[in-house]
Amino acid sequence: MGRVYNFSAGPAMLPEEVLQQAAEDMMDYRGSGQSVMEMSHRSAEFKTIIETAEQDLRDLLDIPDNYKVLFMQGGGNQQFAAVPLNLMKNGVADYILTGQWSKKAAKEAEKYGKVNIIASSADKTFSYIPDCSDLPVSEDADYVYICENNTIYGTKYKTLPNTKGKELVSDVSSCFLSEKHDVTKYGVLWGGVQKNVGPAGCAIVIIREDLIREDVMPFTPIIMNYKITADNNSLYNTPPCYTIYICGLVFQWLKKMGGLDEMKRRNEEKAAILYDFLDNSKMFHGTVEPECRSLMNVPFVTGDKDLDAKFVKEAAANGLINLKGHRTVGGMRASIYNAMPKAGVEALVAFMKKFEEENS
Amino acid sequence: MGRVYNFSAGPAMLPEEVLQQAAEDMMDYRGSGQSVMEMSHRSAEFKTIIETAEQDLRDLLDIPDNYKVLFMQGGGNQQFAAVPLNLMKNGVADYILTGQWSKKAAKEAEKYGKVNIIASSADKTFSYIPDCSDLPVSEDADYVYICENNTIYGTKYKTLPNTKGKELVSDVSSCFLSEKHDVTKYGVLWGGVQKNVGPAGCAIVIIREDLIREDVMPFTPIIMNYKITADNNSLYNTPPCYTIYICGLVFQWLKKMGGLDEMKRRNEEKAAILYDFLDNSKMFHGTVEPECRSLMNVPFVTGDKDLDAKFVKEAAANGLINLKGHRTVGGMRASIYNAMPKAGVEALVAFMKKFEEENS
C-alpha cells in the first residue's frame, strides 16, 4: 500500500513535507557535504539548526523572554524525575491525577519529596477532568502538577487549575503545539516531542527563568539539571541533534500552515468530524464526558470486545492503522495530531459508517 | 562541494550506504506506509527493528547469553550517573582517570558514593595510559571504572586493567565496534552511539545479568534504572526509535563489511597511514605516547598555534572538516571512525604533505 493513515498515540504521523525535506537533506544538508546525523553539535551548521528551531518555537508560542527553552533527552519519564529534582525546595508538591501519566509522574516524584494528590478522576476511569477551581492546594507546595491532555483517556483541561498562587507545571506532550498555550500561565510546561512535534528522543522544557535554581537536590544527575542545560543552551551534553532538526522542520511547517491558531481551527474541525459521528452512531460511542474531550486523542468503543477487535483488524487492512485502544480503556483510540490530515479523519469516519452498516 | 571527509569526534561520519538506505526508507519503510520516525514503538515493525538490531550487535560482539543489551537515552552524561546509581552496593567505586570523560564520570559518581582515584595520567595532560597491572584496588569497591578510548587525548587501553576480581565498567563510546571487545572481561561496557555507531541520542549498555539489581539507590530515576530497562526490553519508556533504527543499519553494514575483525584490520590500516606520516613529518607531531595510541582519534600539532589555525582552515576549504583539536590539547585532531574510508585518511595525509611543503 501507499502511505497509511496512522492513528498511533505516539510516535505518530509527521507531515509528509517534513519527511520529504529530511529525505532530500539526508546525504548533503544544504551544501554542507554531510547529513545532519553526522554533524558535530559544536558546528556552525548545527548551531543554526538549534537556534532557528528555538526561535521558531518562540514565535509559534509567543514565549516571553523570561522563559528558557531547553531541549533535553529522555522524554516523559525523564521529566517525571527532573521536575521534582529541580523544582522542589520545600520538598512538597501537589499532583492532580487524570490518567496514567500524571500517576506515573506523581509516583516518581514520591522518590524525592512529599506528594499530595489534591484531585483525581480515577473514580470514573479518568473519563473526565476534575473541577479544579477551588482545590486544597498545599501551603508549602513547590508546584502544582498536571498532565494537560491525557493521551490514553482522551481528556483535556479546558481551564487550567486555580493553583492559588503556586507554580503550575504542565505535561503538554500530547497537545503540544496543537493550539496556542498562554505560556505566562505556567511556571514550566514541557512536552515529549514524539506525539505532535517530532521523532521520539527529546523533550522540550519551557521554564520561567526564576525557577531555574543552582541548589537542586544534591543527587540530581547532571543530565537532568535545568540550570546546566539552560546555561549551556542545551549543549552541555551532545543533544539528540537529528531529532531537534526534525522538530525544527515541523516548526517551520507549522508557521507555513498559518501558526497555532490556524492549527487549532483545523484540529477542532477534524475532531468535530469524529465526535459528531460518535454522538450519532448506534454502534460506536465515545468514552469521555463531552466537555472534557481532547482534540488529539479520541477513544471509542462498541461495547463488544470481539467487534472492537474485528474493527481494528479490518481498519488496518484498509490503511487506517494503530486504532487499538489502550488496555485500560479497551476498544479503539484515534490519535489525530497536527500531522493527521482532515482526509484521514474523513476516511476513518467513512470506514466506521461502512463497518456499522455491515455489522448491525 | 560534494560529500566531505568529516573528522569530527562525534557526532561523526556514517556509512554512505546507511544514509542512502535511510533516505530510501523515509516515506515508506519497506511497505509499511510509514517512516520509522512515525512508527509506534509497540508496533510489530518496530519490534522487528529493535530485536534485529540487538541480535546483529550480539553477533558482531559475540555477546554471551548472560549479558543483557539495553538501549537507553541520554548518552554519556546519563551513564555517568546511571552506573553508580545501579551498581553501587557498598557505595564505593574506583576510577582510573585518563581524560575529561573519566574525570566527569568520577565527579558525577561522587554524588552517589565514595570515589577513589586509583590511577591517573593527568600529570602529562593525559597523553598516556597508566600501568594498570597492579593498582591499589579498594577492597570494598563495587567496580573499577575506565574510559577505554579517550576521544580528546587520543589514547586507548591496549590491556584492560587488573581489577583484582572487581567488576570492570568501561565507557567504550569512541572505540565501540571499532574492533571486537571480549565482553566476558567486563561487568558492564557501554557506549554513546554518536561516535562510531549512529546519530546522537542513544547509549547502548551491555551488562552481565547478575549485576542488574532490584535494590538500586532509592532516588534512581526510573529512566536510568537498568532492571526496569532490561525487564522491558528497552521499551519501558518510548525509546529513541529512529536512532536505534540507524544503529541497526550500521550493524548490518558492519556485518556486510566482514565483521569486527575486518573492521579492526581496516582501522589499523587507516591509522597506520596517518601515524606513519606523523612519525616522519618535520612539521606535524602526534601528542600521544606511541604504545597508547588510539586507532580512532589522532591528535597532532605543529607547535605553532597560528600554523595550526591556518591548517584547520585550509583543510576545511578542501573538504577535510572538523580537524580542530580540543581546547585542552590544542592543534588538530582527526577522528577516523569505522565510517571514515581509507580514501579520507589518504586525502588528509596528502593535504598535510602539501601543506608542509608550502609552509616550511
Side-chain angles (χ1 to χ4, degrees):
Chain A
M1 55 183 145
R3 296 259 307 158
V4 294
Y5 291 121
N6 178 5
F7 295 92
S8 170
M13 280 187 88
L14 289 167
E16 277 199 34
E17 280 175 64
V18 165
L19 296 173
Q20 269 153 358
Q21 185 67 55
E24 239 171 69
D25 289 346
M26 185 64 82
M27 304 305 295
D28 180 4
Y29 176 75
R30 302 174 194 185
S32 69
Q34 318 152 66
S35 169
V36 176
M37 284 192 235
E38 303 175 294
M39 247 173 221
S40 169
H41 59 300
R42 309 281 178 209
S43 65
E45 288 90 350
F46 185 70
K47 195 163 175 272
T48 302
I49 288 173
I50 192 169
E51 286 176 356
T52 305
E54 178 175 338
Q55 189 54 55
D56 285 338
L57 182 64
R58 285 185 175 277
D59 295 346
L60 285 164
L61 280 172
D62 286 334
I63 300 176
D65 287 345
N66 66 328
Y67 281 74
K68 290 276 189 187
V69 173
L70 315 179
F71 295 94
M72 301 183 78
Q73 287 186 50
N77 280 287
Q78 182 112 303
Q79 294 308 318
F80 295 165
V83 164
L85 284 165
N86 283 278
L87 299 184
M88 275 187 174
K89 271 186 302 188
N90 303 330
V92 179
D94 289 351
Y95 279 68
I96 300 174
L97 302 193
T98 54
Q100 299 290 347
W101 300 110
S102 42
K103 267 173 74 178
K104 282 194 180 191
K107 200 176 164 207
E108 186 77 348
E110 280 173 1
K111 289 180 185 163
Y112 307 109
K114 180 155 173 39
V115 168
N116 301 310
I117 307 302
I118 57 169
S120 168
S121 53
D123 58 336
K124 292 184 186 167
T125 326
F126 300 117
S127 59
Y128 70 104
I129 299 290
D131 177 0
C132 297
S133 58
D134 185 19
L135 296 173
V137 174
S138 307
E139 259 182 47
D140 52 352
D142 292 313
Y143 58 88
V144 175
Y145 184 100
I146 63 168
C147 177
E148 197 159 328
N149 185 85
N150 295 280
T151 323
I152 293 174
Y153 300 97
T155 60
K156 180 175 186 289
Y157 285 80
K158 299 298 160 87
T159 312
L160 292 176
N162 173 3
T163 61
K164 302 184 176 175
K166 303 298 178 190
E167 301 299 342
L168 179 64
V169 176
S170 179
D171 168 3
V172 298
S173 298
S174 54
C175 60
F176 203 20
L177 307 184
S178 65
E179 57 186 285
K180 213 169 225 170
H181 302 271
D182 180 352
V183 173
T184 63
K185 291 190 176 162
Y186 304 81
V188 178
L189 66 166
W190 69 264
V193 303
Q194 77 277 12
K195 297 179 184 295
N196 219 356
V197 184
C202 184
I204 297 176
V205 178
I206 303 170
I207 179 168
R208 215 180 55 236
E209 267 175 354
D210 59 289
L211 294 175
I212 300 177
R213 290 158 47 223
E214 193 122 22
D215 60 329
V216 298
M217 293 199 182
F219 39 72
T220 305
I222 210 161
I223 193 129
M224 293 196 187
N225 187 307
Y226 288 160
K227 181 161 172 56
I228 289 172
T229 308
D231 287 352
N232 292 278
N233 299 315
S234 305
L235 292 168
Y236 175 80
N237 56 302
T238 314
C241 303
Y242 195 75
T243 306
I244 292 169
Y245 151 74
I246 299 286
C247 292
L249 292 181
V250 171
F251 300 155
Q252 283 166 20
W253 176 79
L254 288 169
K255 281 180 133 178
K256 206 175 127 191
M257 294 290 279
L260 298 189
D261 290 334
E262 170 61 15
M263 289 318 294
K264 185 185 183 193
R265 192 196 63 73
R266 285 171 187 251
N267 287 325
E268 284 172 344
E269 188 185 18
K270 286 187 300 181
I273 296 169
L274 186 48
Y275 284 123
D276 286 351
F277 174 74
L278 289 173
D279 288 342
N280 290 296
S281 166
K282 291 206 174 74
M283 177 179 278
F284 297 103
H285 312 283
T287 59
V288 168
E289 293 191 8
E291 66 277 14
C292 304
R293 283 169 167 175
S294 165
L295 294 181
M296 297 285 102
N297 311 98
V298 183
F300 55 96
V301 295
T302 65
D304 174 339
K305 278 183 187 177
D306 295 336
L307 200 59
D308 288 347
K310 189 179 179 212
F311 176 82
V312 169
K313 198 178 159 189
E314 290 185 11
N318 282 273
L320 306 165
I321 73 165
N322 288 320
L323 280 163
K324 191 170 179 221
H326 192 269
R327 67 182 187 286
T328 57
V329 181
M332 283 69 72
R333 173 179 46 174
S335 295
I336 50 176
Y337 297 119
N338 283 340
M340 172 64 68
K342 187 177 160 190
V345 181
E346 287 170 340
L348 171 61
V349 168
F351 181 78
M352 289 167 81
K353 274 186 192 155
K354 184 164 160 274
F355 186 88
E356 185 168 347
E357 281 162 22
E358 288 172 1
N359 292 274
S360 322
Chain B
M1 55 184 144
R3 295 261 308 158
V4 294
Y5 291 121
N6 178 5
F7 295 92
S8 170
M13 281 186 88
L14 289 167
E16 277 199 35
E17 279 174 65
V18 165
L19 296 173
Q20 270 153 358
Q21 185 67 55
E24 236 170 74
D25 289 346
M26 185 64 81
M27 304 305 295
D28 180 3
Y29 176 76
R30 302 173 195 187
S32 69
Q34 318 152 66
S35 168
V36 175
M37 285 191 234
E38 303 175 294
M39 246 172 222
S40 168
H41 58 300
R42 309 280 178 209
S43 65
E45 289 90 350
F46 184 71
K47 194 163 177 270
T48 303
I49 288 173
I50 192 169
E51 287 176 356
T52 305
E54 177 175 339
Q55 189 55 54
D56 285 338
L57 181 63
R58 286 186 174 275
D59 294 347
L60 285 164
L61 280 172
D62 286 334
I63 300 176
D65 287 345
N66 65 328
Y67 282 74
K68 289 276 190 188
V69 173
L70 315 179
F71 294 94
M72 300 182 78
Q73 285 186 52
N77 280 286
Q78 181 112 305
Q79 294 308 318
F80 295 164
V83 164
L85 283 165
N86 283 278
L87 299 184
M88 274 187 174
K89 271 186 303 186
N90 303 329
V92 179
D94 289 352
Y95 279 68
I96 300 174
L97 302 193
T98 55
Q100 298 289 347
W101 299 111
S102 42
K103 267 172 75 177
K104 283 195 180 192
K107 199 176 163 209
E108 187 78 347
E110 279 173 1
K111 289 179 184 164
Y112 308 109
K114 182 160 171 36
V115 168
N116 301 309
I117 307 302
I118 57 169
S120 169
S121 53
D123 58 335
K124 293 184 187 169
T125 324
F126 299 117
S127 59
Y128 69 104
I129 299 289
D131 176 0
C132 296
S133 58
D134 185 18
L135 295 173
V137 174
S138 307
E139 258 182 47
D140 51 353
D142 291 313
Y143 58 87
V144 175
Y145 184 100
I146 63 168
C147 177
E148 196 158 328
N149 184 85
N150 295 281
T151 323
I152 293 174
Y153 299 98
T155 60
K156 180 176 187 288
Y157 285 81
K158 299 300 160 87
T159 314
L160 292 176
N162 174 3
T163 61
K164 302 184 176 173
K166 302 297 176 191
E167 299 300 341
L168 179 64
V169 176
S170 179
D171 168 3
V172 299
S173 299
S174 54
C175 61
F176 203 22
L177 307 185
S178 65
E179 56 186 286
K180 214 170 224 167
H181 301 270
D182 179 353
V183 173
T184 63
K185 291 190 176 162
Y186 303 82
V188 178
L189 67 166
W190 68 266
V193 304
Q194 77 277 13
K195 297 176 184 297
N196 218 356
V197 184
C202 184
I204 297 176
V205 179
I206 303 169
I207 179 168
R208 217 179 54 235
E209 268 175 353
D210 59 289
L211 295 174
I212 300 176
R213 290 159 46 222
E214 194 122 21
D215 60 330
V216 298
M217 293 198 183
F219 39 74
T220 305
I222 210 162
I223 192 124
M224 294 195 186
N225 186 307
Y226 289 159
K227 179 158 173 58
I228 289 173
T229 308
D231 287 352
N232 291 279
N233 299 315
S234 304
L235 291 169
Y236 175 80
N237 56 304
T238 315
C241 303
Y242 196 75
T243 306
I244 292 169
Y245 151 73
I246 299 286
C247 292
L249 292 181
V250 171
F251 300 155
Q252 282 166 21
W253 177 79
L254 288 169
K255 280 179 134 177
K256 205 175 126 192
M257 294 289 280
L260 298 189
D261 290 334
E262 170 61 13
M263 289 318 294
K264 185 184 184 194
R265 192 196 64 71
R266 285 171 186 251
N267 287 325
E268 284 173 343
E269 188 185 19
K270 286 187 300 181
I273 294 169
L274 186 47
Y275 283 124
D276 286 351
F277 174 74
L278 289 173
D279 289 342
N280 291 295
S281 166
K282 291 205 175 73
M283 177 177 280
F284 298 102
H285 312 283
T287 59
V288 168
E289 293 190 8
E291 66 275 15
C292 304
R293 284 170 167 174
S294 164
L295 295 181
M296 297 285 103
N297 311 98
V298 184
F300 54 95
V301 294
T302 65
D304 174 339
K305 277 182 187 178
D306 295 336
L307 200 60
D308 287 349
K310 190 180 179 210
F311 176 82
V312 169
K313 200 177 158 191
E314 290 186 11
N318 282 273
L320 306 164
I321 73 165
N322 288 320
L323 280 162
K324 191 170 178 220
H326 192 269
R327 66 183 186 286
T328 57
V329 181
M332 281 70 70
R333 172 178 48 173
S335 294
I336 50 176
Y337 298 119
N338 283 340
M340 172 63 68
K342 187 178 161 189
V345 181
E346 287 169 340
L348 171 61
V349 167
F351 182 77
M352 289 166 81
K353 273 186 192 155
K354 184 164 158 278
F355 186 88
E356 183 167 348
E357 280 162 22
E358 288 172 1
N359 292 277
S360 324

